[in-house]
Amino acid sequence: MQYYRNCILLQTKKSVSLHIMSQFAEVVLPLAVQGTYTYRIPDSMTVGAGFRVLVPFGRKKYYTAIVVMTHDVEPQGYKVKEILALLDEGPILRHPQLKFWQWIADYYLCTVGEVYKAAVPSGLKVESETQISPNPDYEEETPGELNDREKVILDFTNQRGKVQITELTNATGFKNVESIVSKLLDKGAVHVAERVMDNYRPKTETCVRLTIERDDEQALHGFFDRVHRAKKQEQLLLAFLDLSHWLQRSKPVQEVTQEELLKRSGCTQPVLAAARKNGIFEIYKREINRFELLGTGLVDLPTLTSIQKDAYLKIHDSFKEKAVTLLHGVTSSGKTSIYMHLINDALKLGKQVLYLVPEIALTTQLTQRLQRVFGERLLIYHSKFSDNERVDIWKKLLTTSDPCVIIGVRSSVFLPYSNLGLVIVDEEHDTSYKQQDPAPRYNGRDTAILLAHMHGAKTVLGSATPAIDTYYKALNGRYGLVELSTRYADIKMPKVHLIDLKKAWKKHEMDGMFSLELVDECRKALKNDEQVILFQNRRGYAPMVRCKECAWVPTCVNCDVSLTYHRRVETLTCHYCGHTIILPTVCPACGNPSIEVVGYGTERIEDEVDQVFPGEKISRMDLDTTRSKTSYDRIIDEFSQHKTSILVGTQMVTKGLDFDAVSIVGILNADTMIHFPDFRSHERAFNMLEQVAGRAGRKNKQGKVIIQTNNPSHPVIERVVQHDYKGFYEQEIAERQQYGYPPFTKIINIYLKHKQDDVVLEMAVRYSNMLRQVFGGRVLGPEAPMVARVQSFYIRQIVLKMELSASMTKVKKILRDLYEQLLATDSRMRSTRLYFDVDPS
């Protein structure tokens, strides 16, 4: 099939041209295949760039493709397949999305199909492999809403629970089943069952209602007869009638929450339970909009201090000459307040705003702050939402150009913006902006800058610890630079105190993982009704277990790593592939009952904190406790409202969260972050330590940070003690220039994977030798990475150091051509996986 790469660049800004006389369409498939594919357009069909069409691919599969362009050039040498169905009345993409996809594919060395698969919610990609499940709450709004074929599909789906498109096709004999399913999706009759529905839990509140109909006055009198001797239940009933407008026939009955009923009546849960047992009330759950406005109205923008206002004006001045401006502000300097004023300026101009954050957890606090000011103009988009919710937001942006604010994580860059005026990348240094697996392995910060450029929008990058690359560009004039060097209300930066673990162990001043000094400081804070954050960047109970007699250590059968112990479920789990076994009570190697746990994860820290500080309420924030959307809200809300006093967490607690009463932050082991074989390890360690330190001492009190380390004289730790970002930057940039690392070069990591170690080694050596013939000394390796086998695949890594001026499109072509040459000469390359990671974080 013919490949029209340049067609994406031909998409015009003014409009999407429709197929009038063209016979063929070039389409992108959501697959890791090179180029576009040509399909014949039926005579009765009108399509254009950005339209969704259903096409056959392979022998028996069907996919939702995106039309890139139409033309009249018939491919030669094979029979062109025909488009099966048009899935929409108009395009689902806006300018310049196709151009944006092509840039990502070229720069990050992947296919446009892989970008498409990552960019578009699965609800807009009906495929033959997609599983469909019925919506149990669906009812026809009007008789005849579903046609006969839709009813057959829905009935079959209801019988089976979850079905694949191929099953529906075989069972019904219908052609174009995907088109019918797409219409059922639009009507809300079915769900896409393959996505994160199991992780998503809708926010609900408990409501109370009477067990009778409103017009049943006799039954209501009977209720009063039952409770005339139970005064508390009578109060409860009267309060309900008042809140619900039950007796005011001119008004509709209002839903009454359990919380407001108990508050109005002055009664307790046992009284309500007795009334339920008496047959008067029943309890039910009501789904509520997680992002509906808190309170009854909007509030004004936060008032900026003189220092914040000066920074705000400087950003506007910078925008006159620079498209990108870095706001370098220390922790708790009020960067979010400045962002809100910039957002307001953009909305007044009728523009849309994208507000990127690195972690879903950050959206919880920011959403509440932004929504109080911007109300319904705020939209939230991230992967913990159900697929249906993400499709709704996609379609909303597709059908309107109204000014709004979209807050979300890196995937938000793919939404169909029409009038983007401002992009804010908060905590721009954060490595969570970098997608790891699968492709496209893009950086959300860098793609957001490119997206803003394509829209003619301005970009603000914000951080207390900017990425070395970003700060270098700001100092050298590529970006504007505005700095906030003082905290809000002139609160002092937290005092950092070091605990030398080697000395503490020798002096018997340790209690498990806690130095006695840390315990003492935490007790003082808790006594003063203040809060504590304890940071340990390792989840699970313990990173490994071993036999005390023979030193046996359980390892993963699929990966070259030890298994992590999770005490809550008494299992050993691989954090790379998910392989799980039960913790043995007897060593399988020597037969002795001598299994011991080694090391500390957040789960073990939580248990020991409970022993050291009995009676204190503790919460834990790591991947294991935040797998659902509601878990973030619960943990953050409970800590914000002082329902918990100690928060134990991994790097999630470092990312811009704002807790007023935190006075002590304890970093239990700083060394694990520093000693890592990667040129960015010191940068990551400094950023993480400085960011978690910044959680201490907000509002009216200077906080204190206690860092436990075996190497208190390490340069990174010394810079953290002094809160000296600029000193750290100068040291780091000098080393990178000396050894030729970014921002002075561009790094491309090339990975080869195979199930046989000898094969992947030979393929990696041959491929690296071919690369050296073209790139010379820019090629390093191949080497085995730290974890040399993952999910039964052995891995080799080749590093390619390129000049900044190198064309990634040309590099991609060379890498691809050399791969195809090796593929043609050695059949083993067909079973070898090859992929690229550009600008690894």
Side-chain angles (χ1 to χ4, degrees):
M1 292 187 180
Q2 194 168 352
Y3 174 43
Y4 289 78
R5 181 187 172 280
N6 292 332
C7 61
I8 290 179
L9 304 179
L10 298 177
Q11 186 192 23
T12 61
K13 184 174 182 179
K14 293 182 180 178
S15 62
V16 178
S17 58
L18 296 179
H19 157 72
I20 299 176
M21 299 296 292
S22 299
Q23 302 178 52
F24 303 97
E26 295 298 317
V27 304
V28 173
L29 293 161
L31 302 170
V33 292
Q34 295 292 326
T36 59
Y37 286 79
T38 309
Y39 286 85
R40 186 181 300 277
I41 304 172
D43 293 336
S44 60
M45 189 178 295
T46 301
V47 300
F51 279 66
R52 284 193 311 156
V53 293
L54 189 69
V55 297
F57 188 77
R59 295 180 61 186
K60 296 181 179 180
K61 293 184 178 180
Y62 304 92
Y63 291 96
T64 300
I66 301 290
V67 176
V68 169
M69 69 172 294
T70 59
H71 59 87
D72 291 313
V73 182
E74 183 172 3
Q76 302 299 314
Y78 62 90
K79 183 179 179 181
V80 181
K81 295 180 180 180
E82 191 171 83
I83 294 173
L84 296 178
L86 178 65
L87 299 179
D88 304 284
E89 296 180 357
I92 68 155
L93 303 181
R94 288 183 181 269
H95 174 85
Q97 281 180 282
L98 285 172
K99 183 179 177 182
F100 183 54
W101 290 5
Q102 184 65 60
W103 180 89
I104 292 175
D106 285 343
Y107 186 83
Y108 291 104
L109 307 181
C110 62
T111 67
V112 178
E114 289 171 306
V115 181
Y116 162 32
K117 188 172 183 178
V120 177
S122 63
L124 294 175
K125 301 192 297 286
V126 180
E127 303 173 4
S128 56
E129 297 172 323
T130 300
Q131 282 194 324
I132 304 299
S133 63
N135 178 4
D137 299 324
Y138 173 75
E139 294 181 1
E140 288 188 74
E141 294 183 1
T142 57
E145 180 182 2
L146 301 181
N147 61 37
D148 291 340
R149 291 196 165 204
E150 290 170 347
K151 288 178 180 178
V152 171
I153 295 291
L154 185 58
D155 289 342
F156 185 80
T157 305
N158 280 320
Q159 293 172 15
R160 298 291 296 273
K162 284 186 180 181
V163 293
Q164 289 189 344
I165 297 291
T166 49
E167 293 180 74
L168 290 171
T169 302
N170 294 335
T172 62
F174 295 160
K175 295 181 179 180
N176 301 342
V177 166
E178 293 84 356
S179 180
I180 302 173
V181 169
S182 181
K183 293 176 182 177
L184 289 171
L185 279 169
D186 289 339
K187 294 175 181 178
V190 295
H191 292 310
V192 177
E194 65 186 349
R195 300 298 288 177
V196 295
M197 295 297 292
D198 56 329
N199 285 338
Y200 169 61
R201 297 292 182 271
K203 188 173 184 179
T204 61
E205 59 184 358
T206 304
C207 292
V208 181
R209 61 189 170 206
L210 293 180
T211 57
I212 60 173
E213 297 297 327
R214 189 180 192 182
D215 55 1
D216 194 344
E217 295 185 8
Q218 185 175 354
L220 181 60
H221 286 299
F223 284 170
F224 277 105
D225 291 339
R226 293 186 205 175
V227 300
H228 76 281
R229 291 185 179 179
K231 295 302 180 184
K232 289 290 186 181
Q233 292 185 44
E234 187 178 51
Q235 290 176 27
L236 207 62
L237 180 56
L238 290 171
F240 176 85
L241 296 177
D242 182 35
L243 288 168
S244 65
H245 301 159
W246 187 275
L247 301 178
Q248 301 175 42
R249 297 308 173 105
S250 60
K251 296 181 179 180
V253 174
Q254 298 293 310
E255 288 187 290
V256 178
T257 67
Q258 176 178 284
E259 182 180 3
E260 63 183 342
L261 178 60
L262 296 178
K263 185 176 180 180
R264 174 69 67 89
S265 64
C267 297
T268 59
Q269 284 276 8
V271 177
L272 177 59
R276 289 177 60 193
K277 190 175 181 180
N278 216 355
I280 298 173
F281 293 112
E282 62 182 11
I283 302 294
Y284 66 99
K285 297 285 187 180
R286 177 181 70 174
E287 288 190 22
I288 59 174
N289 183 353
R290 175 173 307 284
F291 307 110
E292 64 185 353
L293 286 176
L294 305 175
T296 56
L298 303 182
V299 300
D300 294 333
L301 285 165
T303 303
L304 298 180
T305 65
S306 59
I307 295 175
Q308 291 172 339
K309 188 171 184 180
D310 181 57
Y312 160 75
L313 295 174
K314 285 181 178 178
I315 292 173
H316 272 294
D317 289 339
S318 176
F319 282 165
K320 295 175 183 177
E321 298 180 357
K322 308 289 184 182
V324 182
T325 296
L326 170 63
L327 176 58
H328 177 205
V330 298
T331 55
S332 194
S333 57
K335 294 186 291 293
T336 304
S337 295
I338 296 174
Y339 297 154
M340 293 169 76
H341 280 262
L342 294 171
I343 290 170
N344 189 58
D345 294 340
L347 295 178
K348 284 182 178 178
L349 295 174
K351 299 291 186 179
Q352 295 171 331
V353 179
L354 171 59
Y355 192 143
L356 280 184
V357 293
E359 288 276 1
I360 295 169
L362 276 180
T363 63
T364 300
Q365 284 194 330
L366 278 174
T367 294
Q368 295 173 359
R369 291 186 65 180
L370 295 175
Q371 206 157 38
R372 290 188 183 101
V373 175
F374 301 111
E376 294 179 352
R377 292 181 294 178
L378 180 70
L379 300 174
I380 301 93
Y381 188 84
H382 57 64
S383 60
K384 291 290 183 181
F385 279 9
S386 70
D387 195 70
N388 288 336
E389 286 176 299
R390 282 181 282 146
V391 170
D392 286 345
I393 293 173
W394 185 286
K395 290 184 175 181
K396 180 180 178 68
L397 289 175
L398 195 64
T399 56
T400 180
S401 298
D402 294 342
C404 61
V405 187
I406 296 91
I407 181 171
V409 292
R410 61 175 180 259
S411 58
S412 304
V413 299
F414 293 118
L415 287 167
Y417 303 100
S418 60
N419 195 18
L420 194 62
L422 177 66
V423 173
I424 296 170
V425 185
D426 197 14
E427 309 293 344
E428 65 84 27
H429 66 277
D430 201 291
T431 56
S432 297
Y433 281 122
K434 185 68 162 70
Q435 164 75 9
Q436 300 300 330
D437 285 312
R441 296 170 180 86
Y442 66 101
N443 188 302
R445 175 198 62 205
D446 298 339
T447 53
I449 292 172
L450 190 277
L451 177 70
H453 172 73
M454 288 183 171
H455 282 270
K458 301 296 184 182
T459 303
V460 176
L461 308 176
S463 177
T465 55
I468 297 294
D469 307 53
T470 302
Y471 201 62
Y472 175 80
K473 291 173 183 176
L475 291 180
N476 286 273
R478 184 170 173 182
Y479 298 162
L481 176 61
V482 177
E483 299 195 276
L484 276 171
S485 57
T486 59
R487 284 184 148 191
Y488 179 78
D490 290 325
I491 295 174
K492 293 181 180 180
M493 293 293 289
K495 182 180 179 181
V496 181
H497 180 67
L498 300 181
I499 301 292
D500 188 330
L501 288 176
K502 289 184 290 188
K503 292 181 179 179
W505 281 111
K506 287 181 180 179
K507 294 180 180 179
H508 304 287
E509 295 176 350
M510 296 293 293
D511 184 359
M513 270 292 286
F514 312 108
S515 63
L516 298 184
E517 185 173 347
L518 174 59
V519 172
D520 185 54
E521 291 292 339
C522 290
R523 283 191 175 130
K524 290 178 183 177
L526 296 170
K527 187 177 181 180
N528 294 330
D529 199 27
E530 296 166 347
Q531 292 174 297
V532 173
I533 291 178
L534 297 176
F535 173 67
Q536 173 77 346
N537 201 28
R538 187 187 293 274
R539 66 185 175 99
Y541 189 84
M544 61 181 282
V545 300
R546 70 183 174 198
C547 175
K548 289 185 287 187
E549 298 296 329
C550 69
W552 170 82
V553 175
T555 57
C556 179
V557 297
N558 304 314
C559 312
D560 288 345
V561 293
S562 60
L563 298 176
T564 300
Y565 176 45
H566 291 260
R567 187 177 181 182
R568 294 284 188 275
V569 288
E570 287 295 324
T571 59
L572 297 168
T573 301
C574 174
H575 287 173
Y576 284 82
C577 71
H579 173 71
T580 299
I581 63 173
I582 301 299
L583 177 69
T585 56
V586 175
C587 175
C590 68
N592 290 312
S594 51
I595 301 295
E596 66 172 351
V597 296
V598 180
Y600 286 80
T602 49
E603 189 180 341
R604 187 175 185 182
I605 297 296
E606 182 185 21
D607 281 356
E608 296 207 356
V609 167
D610 190 39
Q611 296 173 17
V612 176
F613 305 103
E616 297 292 344
K617 293 185 177 179
I618 307 160
S619 57
R620 173 164 57 97
M621 180 181 280
D622 56 26
L623 184 61
D624 297 319
T625 61
T626 56
R627 293 188 181 275
S628 71
K629 187 171 65 175
T630 56
S631 57
Y632 287 100
D633 296 359
R634 177 182 54 78
I635 295 169
I636 292 171
D637 288 347
E638 287 178 355
F639 198 63
S640 297
Q641 297 168 16
H642 295 210
K643 293 180 180 178
T644 54
S645 54
I646 301 175
L647 175 62
V648 177
T650 58
Q651 60 181 339
M652 290 182 179
V653 303
T654 71
K655 305 192 177 187
L657 297 172
D658 187 358
F659 302 116
D660 295 344
V662 174
S663 62
I664 297 293
V665 168
I667 298 171
L668 302 181
N669 190 344
D671 305 322
T672 55
M673 294 172 281
I674 297 173
H675 303 300
F676 196 82
D678 182 81
F679 77 95
R680 294 191 195 273
S681 62
H682 284 185
E683 178 184 2
R684 284 195 295 265
F686 178 87
N687 290 349
M688 201 172 296
L689 291 172
E690 183 65 17
Q691 288 286 339
V692 73
R695 302 314 108 205
R698 298 190 166 217
K699 296 300 179 185
N700 301 316
K701 183 178 179 180
Q702 181 186 23
K704 187 172 184 179
V705 181
I706 297 175
I707 298 179
Q708 299 184 161
T709 174
N710 288 291
N711 190 3
S713 61
H714 194 285
V716 170
I717 292 178
E718 288 181 341
R719 298 296 183 186
V720 173
V721 171
Q722 300 163 9
H723 300 293
D724 184 11
Y725 172 81
K726 291 183 179 179
F728 169 76
Y729 167 81
E730 290 168 0
Q731 178 180 315
E732 188 73 9
I733 202 72
E735 290 183 1
R736 294 197 186 184
Q737 186 171 21
Q738 180 180 357
Y739 296 108
Y741 281 101
F744 303 100
T745 58
K746 188 182 298 294
I747 298 291
I748 303 172
N749 284 339
I750 304 169
Y751 293 96
L752 293 92
K753 294 184 176 182
H754 197 279
K755 291 200 172 184
Q756 296 180 32
D757 191 28
D758 58 336
V759 172
V760 73
L761 175 59
E762 185 176 347
M763 293 299 99
V765 169
R766 292 188 63 184
Y767 191 57
S768 63
N769 289 338
M770 295 171 73
L771 291 172
R772 284 189 180 90
Q773 293 177 10
V774 178
F775 297 109
R778 302 178 185 88
V779 181
L780 304 175
E783 298 288 343
M786 279 190 65
V787 181
R789 184 172 62 106
V790 175
Q791 296 180 356
S792 299
F793 281 89
Y794 293 92
I795 308 169
R796 290 296 184 275
Q797 175 184 348
I798 302 169
V799 178
L800 184 59
K801 281 187 180 181
M802 297 300 301
E803 294 83 354
L804 297 177
S805 58
S807 166
M808 293 304 293
T809 303
K810 293 180 180 179
V811 170
K812 180 181 180 180
K813 186 177 186 307
I814 293 171
L815 294 174
R816 181 73 188 176
D817 289 346
L818 293 178
Y819 165 72
E820 291 179 352
Q821 288 178 32
L822 185 55
L823 194 65
T825 58
D826 197 325
S827 60
R828 292 175 299 176
M829 197 64 187
R830 295 184 181 277
S831 56
T832 303
R833 296 183 184 180
L834 175 71
Y835 65 90
F836 310 97
D837 186 8
V838 180
D839 299 336
S841 60

